[in-house]
Amino acid sequence: MQKTSKLHAIIHGKCPQCRRGDIFTGSLYGFNVQRTNTVCPHCGQRFEIEPGYFYAAMYVSYAMNCAEMITLGIATYVLSGGRLDFDSFWLYLGVIFTGCLLLSPFNYRYSRVILLHWLSPKIKYNAYYDKP
């Protein structure tokens, strides 16, 4: 039996306690809507520890969105040859807005995963549950 790593659990959206159960139903990009499970299907860990717990994920999502917008703005600057005139304003606005729109399902999912794995002192990894 191989122990699941924390990085693997974060990338695949697994429970922070057992690293086996899925945090979400549905795929990241697909026709079935992604929803956060109430409890882990493997170990029974409750994901929303207290009412309104995932409101804190908005702050994580905000930080992720700011980093993505800055990255898209710099990439647009480099790829457009360093144009900063008024005519290129719409290019920057279009690229940044489209990028934010396309990355919103990613931000929704991984802001909650980061909140559960790194920013929740009440949830600890328990090797007992890390069994197939």
Side-chain angles (χ1 to χ4, degrees):
M1 176 178 67
Q2 184 178 357
K3 187 170 110 170
T4 308
S5 70
K6 184 170 189 135
L7 183 61
H8 180 270
I10 290 171
I11 291 172
H12 294 288
K14 300 295 182 181
C15 172
Q17 179 171 294
C18 67
R19 297 181 183 168
R20 296 284 177 178
D22 292 326
I23 296 174
F24 294 95
T25 60
S27 62
L28 182 61
Y29 290 102
F31 293 112
N32 50 353
V33 178
Q34 62 176 331
R35 288 193 172 85
T36 307
N37 285 326
T38 308
V39 295
C40 174
H42 188 264
C43 69
Q45 168 68 43
R46 184 172 163 80
F47 292 129
E48 191 169 6
I49 299 170
E50 53 198 31
Y53 180 72
F54 286 121
Y55 283 124
M58 289 189 306
Y59 297 108
V60 177
S61 178
Y62 175 74
M64 291 169 66
N65 205 3
C66 287
E68 292 160 359
M69 287 192 298
I70 291 169
T71 303
L72 287 170
I74 291 172
T76 305
Y77 176 79
V78 169
L79 294 175
S80 69
R83 291 181 48 202
L84 280 177
D85 53 355
F86 184 73
D87 294 337
S88 63
F89 170 75
W90 295 107
L91 172 68
Y92 284 93
L93 193 64
V95 168
I96 291 172
F97 180 74
T98 304
C100 289
L101 191 64
L102 291 175
L103 289 171
S104 62
F106 175 83
N107 289 345
Y108 170 78
R109 179 175 286 225
Y110 285 101
S111 65
R112 290 179 178 219
V113 169
I114 289 170
L115 179 69
L116 285 170
H117 277 273
W118 283 333
L119 304 174
S120 296
K122 294 181 180 180
I123 302 176
K124 301 281 188 220
Y125 169 66
N126 189 343
Y128 173 78
Y129 293 114
D130 193 8
K131 297 175 186 171

